[in-house]
Amino acid sequence: MTDKLIIFDTTLRDGEQSPGASMTRDEKLRIARQLERLKVDVIEAGFAASSNGDFECVKAIAEVIKDSTICSLARANDRDISRAAEALKPANAGRLHLFLATSALHMEKKLRMTPDQVFEQAKMSVRFARNLMADIEFSPEDGYRSDPDFLCRVIEAVINEGATTINVPDTVGYAIPELYGNFIKNLRERIPNSDKAVWSVHCHNDLGMAVANSLAGVKIGGARQVECTINGLGERAGNCSLEEVVMAVKTRKDYFDLDLGIDTQQILAASRLVSQTTGFVVQPNKAVVGANAFAHASGIHQDGVLKARDTYEIMRAEDVGWSANKIVLGKLSGRNAFKQRLQELGVAMESETDINNAFVKFKDLADRKSDIFDEDILALVSDESVTHSNEQYGFVSLSQHSETGERPQACVVFTVAGKEVKGQSDGNGPVDASLKAIEIHVKSGAEMVLYSVNAISGSTESQGEVTVRLQNSGRVVNGTGSDPDIVVASAKAYLSALNKLQSKAVKVAAQG
Ligand SMILES: [Zn+2]
């Protein structure tokens, strides 16, 4: 009998805390559906009490997703817990995830509470939560930097109150694999009722060891749940990467001897969706999901792989969803074929109007680009002008002129609250001129902190996907846009970022 390793995905909560990674309700629903197809055991859908928007997102996901357990984060107080439980009401299986800091530093500087007060609050909050739901996870925030004696006291008490999962977060990414593994092992050995809960790891990647630490927590510490995110998205240097943990446990089953419920063939689709939605590009040499992860450039390697795959390959590209880029649709494809492909890609569009809008954009794209790949379709549906016709700013058209020796000029037509306006400007290049033409009208005053262009399917014939990150009075947002014309893609990305700056929802900071 082998144990099962529970995969707890927190892309929609911890991942969303990356600067600029905030997602709309529709975007979160789309990602949640893909996580369900990936068969993750638990989806942390958000932090319901942090804002009305987050509450609605958790609720919407709880209504739609039926195969995975849906979890909401909550601070260890009655109000947060009630709010989370309310959002989770429609779920088939719901989980409340309570957190309260236990390190001396956090208790003193952040909470301004004594250890005894923290102990009482932890206990009482789990007691309160247990009356609302059976599945309760408790995280002593900054657990790895907490005093082990105090931690033992708190954890024993919360298990007695009915906590079913105990998560030991390395909130600041300070751990070393062997030490972290032993830290958890030690807690489990010392706490008399430790076998009444599933133990979980939650590691950040500040020193590049989130995956290694998580695996040590599993192997040495005996944890049976890993908290992780798609592409390792997360605060600062990010979280433990789901695809890496899953493929490590699967590829080295000889060592870990653990079962996984994950459908690994859905990994790449999940990675692409998260990257396209947030504008956080995956580096080419990223394990498992990077463009080069299965590419063999050197002659010796290619020869070896052609003779026998396992000379240089420890995993099969197909097993994580890589297949040769297939042309899936073209100019002559009809609405039904398009609709069916959307379904196969897991894009659920709520209304026929949305499908019609997307189909019009698809036809328009197919006129300009003969071969349409899955990546193009995903980019098209993440284009906000398709699904959010009621946004403040919308792209209409653009013309620009650039010639060697002359200063580039651009003219952009776009909508502001439904009304068309035209902006004109020069700039250092056509992209610069186009964005200035928009800014002249909008006067956002936002500072651009990142601009990047990517070819969606690898060649100059493919669509350009642009990410623009804007910062304004402490807020950071990402906008993405795609088009075969990168100047147009840039203008769309800029308008999308401006739309996000417009929505002024303020959130309560969650744990790291
Ligand atoms: Zn975290």
Side-chain angles (χ1 to χ4, degrees):
M1 264 284 286
T2 49
D3 286 345
K4 181 174 178 189
L5 183 65
I6 297 167
I7 298 297
F8 175 114
D9 179 280
T10 183
T11 306
L12 298 175
R13 201 278 299 166
D14 207 317
E16 204 205 13
Q17 286 173 226
S18 318
S22 62
M23 299 169 233
T24 65
R25 178 178 166 279
D26 288 353
E27 288 169 342
K28 285 190 176 180
L29 271 172
R30 200 175 300 148
I31 290 172
R33 286 197 179 95
Q34 179 58 26
L35 292 173
E36 187 182 38
R37 268 192 297 278
L38 183 61
K39 296 194 163 67
V40 307
D41 301 284
V42 186
I43 297 174
E44 187 160 55
F47 177 10
S50 69
S51 70
N52 287 337
D54 247 47
F55 178 88
E56 291 305 327
C57 285
V58 174
K59 189 162 164 244
I61 291 168
E63 276 162 1
V64 171
I65 304 299
K66 293 301 161 200
D67 295 343
S68 310
T69 296
I70 307 301
C71 172
S72 171
L73 187 70
R75 284 167 297 192
N77 65 59
D78 295 2
R79 186 198 159 267
D80 266 35
I81 295 167
S82 306
R83 193 88 177 125
E86 201 188 325
L88 290 171
K89 231 176 226 158
N92 257 359
R95 171 182 295 188
L96 290 167
H97 179 189
L98 279 48
F99 74 96
L100 185 62
T102 49
S103 67
L105 190 65
H106 279 227
M107 289 191 289
E108 190 193 323
K109 304 278 185 215
K110 193 176 96 171
L111 299 175
R112 296 180 193 284
M113 286 166 76
T114 66
D116 282 340
Q117 287 171 322
V118 168
F119 175 82
E120 271 311 302
Q121 189 175 332
K123 208 171 80 175
M124 297 316 286
S125 64
V126 172
R127 185 178 296 177
F128 181 80
R130 194 52 213 259
N131 284 325
L132 302 172
M133 209 164 268
D135 188 347
I136 308 293
E137 173 167 335
F138 182 82
S139 285
E141 188 186 4
D142 204 16
Y144 180 64
R145 291 195 303 172
S146 302
D147 170 41
D149 292 341
F150 179 59
L151 211 48
C152 283
R153 224 182 117 207
V154 171
I155 293 174
E156 184 182 353
V158 297
I159 294 175
N160 269 336
E161 294 296 339
T164 43
T165 299
I166 297 296
N167 181 42
V168 184
D170 178 24
T171 304
V172 292
Y174 182 67
I176 301 290
E178 192 185 355
L179 301 180
Y180 183 65
N182 281 319
F183 187 80
I184 294 175
K185 179 170 183 259
N186 190 26
L187 291 175
R188 287 182 58 231
E189 283 170 359
R190 286 182 56 191
I191 297 170
N193 55 3
S194 66
D195 61 335
K196 299 222 160 37
V198 173
W199 287 68
S200 167
V201 290
H202 179 114
C203 298
H204 278 267
N205 206 32
D206 297 69
L207 294 172
M209 291 186 282
V211 171
N213 286 334
S214 301
L215 291 173
V218 169
K219 184 68 184 178
I220 304 172
R224 286 297 175 263
Q225 172 177 290
V226 174
E227 303 198 357
C228 46
T229 60
I230 302 295
N231 299 338
L233 198 67
E235 279 204 287
R236 305 184 308 276
N239 214 292
C240 171
S241 136
L242 180 146
E243 57 279 7
E244 292 177 21
V245 157
V246 164
M247 290 317 289
V249 171
K250 186 179 153 135
T251 306
R252 296 308 306 270
K253 190 163 196 311
D254 60 317
Y255 178 71
F256 289 103
D257 197 23
L258 290 167
D259 285 332
L260 287 163
I262 298 293
D263 178 358
T264 59
Q265 292 192 345
Q266 293 292 335
I267 284 178
L268 191 68
S271 167
R272 292 232 164 113
L273 180 60
V274 168
S275 153
Q276 290 194 328
T277 305
T278 58
F280 279 63
V281 175
V282 174
Q283 82 208 46
N285 57 331
K286 168 84 167 62
V288 185
V289 294
N292 289 354
F294 292 91
H296 300 269
S298 95
I300 298 169
H301 284 209
Q302 277 181 356
D303 184 53
V305 171
L306 288 174
K307 283 178 179 145
R309 295 184 68 145
D310 52 8
T311 43
Y312 288 101
E313 277 188 9
I314 57 163
M315 297 176 268
R316 297 194 322 158
E318 304 90 281
D319 289 350
V320 294
W322 285 97
S323 53
N325 263 348
K326 282 193 304 258
I327 299 162
V328 292
L329 292 172
K331 211 180 150 122
L332 298 173
S333 306
R335 188 177 175 282
N336 273 341
F338 176 70
K339 193 175 163 185
Q340 193 190 335
R341 196 64 207 154
L342 283 180
Q343 275 162 2
E344 284 161 8
L345 288 170
V347 178
M349 290 212 160
E350 317 279 307
S351 70
E352 288 296 307
T353 323
D354 283 350
I355 296 173
N356 287 338
N357 283 344
F359 185 63
V360 170
K361 300 252 167 188
F362 161 73
K363 279 303 213 187
D364 178 48
L365 180 64
D367 276 341
R368 291 181 293 153
K369 180 176 184 296
S370 51
D371 305 332
I372 307 285
F373 299 94
D374 284 344
E375 289 85 345
D376 291 315
I377 299 174
L378 285 173
L380 190 123
V381 296
S382 49
D383 183 343
E384 285 171 6
S385 59
V386 174
T387 44
H388 301 266
S389 38
N390 53 350
E391 293 277 12
Q392 174 77 356
Y393 304 110
F395 177 80
V396 179
S397 67
L398 179 153
S399 70
Q400 49 88 8
H401 179 81
S402 64
E403 197 176 325
T404 311
E406 273 181 31
R407 195 161 166 80
Q409 300 281 336
C411 172
V412 184
V413 181
F414 60 105
T415 54
V416 181
K419 240 184 77 197
E420 276 193 18
V421 295
K422 189 194 267 186
Q424 257 173 312
S425 176
D426 59 359
N428 288 349
V431 170
D432 188 45
S434 302
L435 303 197
K436 280 185 174 136
I438 296 170
E439 182 61 24
I440 281 172
H441 261 282
V442 175
K443 296 186 178 66
S444 73
E447 180 196 353
M448 191 179 302
V449 288
L450 179 135
Y451 170 79
S452 82
V453 188
N454 243 345
I456 289 183
S457 44
S459 77
T460 50
E461 283 182 352
S462 74
Q463 290 198 82
E465 186 176 45
V466 174
T467 302
V468 165
R469 185 176 300 168
L470 297 179
Q471 183 171 357
N472 202 1
S473 37
R475 283 192 71 205
V476 181
V477 296
N478 276 345
T480 57
S482 54
D483 198 274
D485 179 334
I486 60 163
V487 184
V488 172
S490 304
K492 286 179 175 174
Y494 193 69
L495 291 167
S496 138
L498 289 175
N499 279 328
K500 288 191 176 165
L501 271 184
Q502 275 274 313
S503 59
K504 291 211 167 53
V506 180
K507 280 203 201 187
V508 178
Q511 72 160 355

